[in-house]
């Protein structure tokens, strides 16, 4: 008797997030540096500046997930959200 099975092949077609080691536009260094500036503004309770940076990144296709401490670009790249005292990379 022939038995048809889905074979589970649908899972093979799922896109996996791009590693932040693969660069895109905006560059990973630019995103990291902007996030460091945003964290500094948040530490200083400069909510206006923090929101301005968040909005600029959002326009560039980068979403920040504060509770999860990560960012995600529209092209699938993801990375950890840096701390305010992390070193900038000049992007």
């Amino acid at each position: 008797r022939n038995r048809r099975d889905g074979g589970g092949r649908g899972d093979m077609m799922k896109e996996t997030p791009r590693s932040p080691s693969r660069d895109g536009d905006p560059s990973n260094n630019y995103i990291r540096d902007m996030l460091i500036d945003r964290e500094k503004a948040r530490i200083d309770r400069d909510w206006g500046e923090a929101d301005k940076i968040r909005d600029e990144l959002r326009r560039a296709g980068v979403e920040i997930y504060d509770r999860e401490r990560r960012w995600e670009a529209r092209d699938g790249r993801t990375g950890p959200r840096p701390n305010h005292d992390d070193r900038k990379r000049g992007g």
Side-chain angles (χ1 to χ4, degrees):
R1 136 164 68 140
N2 288 340
R3 184 170 169 225
R4 291 206 171 178
D5 188 5
R9 296 190 82 113
D11 290 340
M12 290 175 41
M13 302 305 284
K14 286 184 181 174
E15 281 190 38
T16 56
R18 284 179 59 182
S19 162
S21 64
R22 292 176 58 191
D23 220 343
D25 184 36
S27 73
N28 294 328
N29 286 343
Y30 173 81
I31 294 168
R32 178 183 168 82
D33 290 352
M34 292 293 286
L35 288 172
I36 289 170
D37 288 343
R38 180 173 180 264
E39 288 305 302
K40 287 178 182 176
R42 287 166 42 113
I43 291 291
D44 292 340
R45 299 171 101 44
D46 186 349
W47 310 121
E49 181 65 15
D51 289 349
K52 182 177 137 190
I53 294 169
R54 180 201 59 217
D55 294 343
E56 184 175 333
L57 284 167
R58 188 174 281 155
R59 281 190 300 277
V62 178
E63 197 62 44
I64 305 164
Y65 299 98
D66 286 317
R67 288 187 180 183
E68 299 167 21
R69 298 187 50 83
R70 68 181 185 90
W71 59 267
E72 183 174 322
R74 82 171 70 112
D75 64 6
R77 288 175 294 146
T78 63
R81 188 192 75 203
N83 294 316
H84 72 282
D85 57 353
D86 284 346
R87 193 171 186 186
K88 288 176 126 184
R89 295 182 180 162

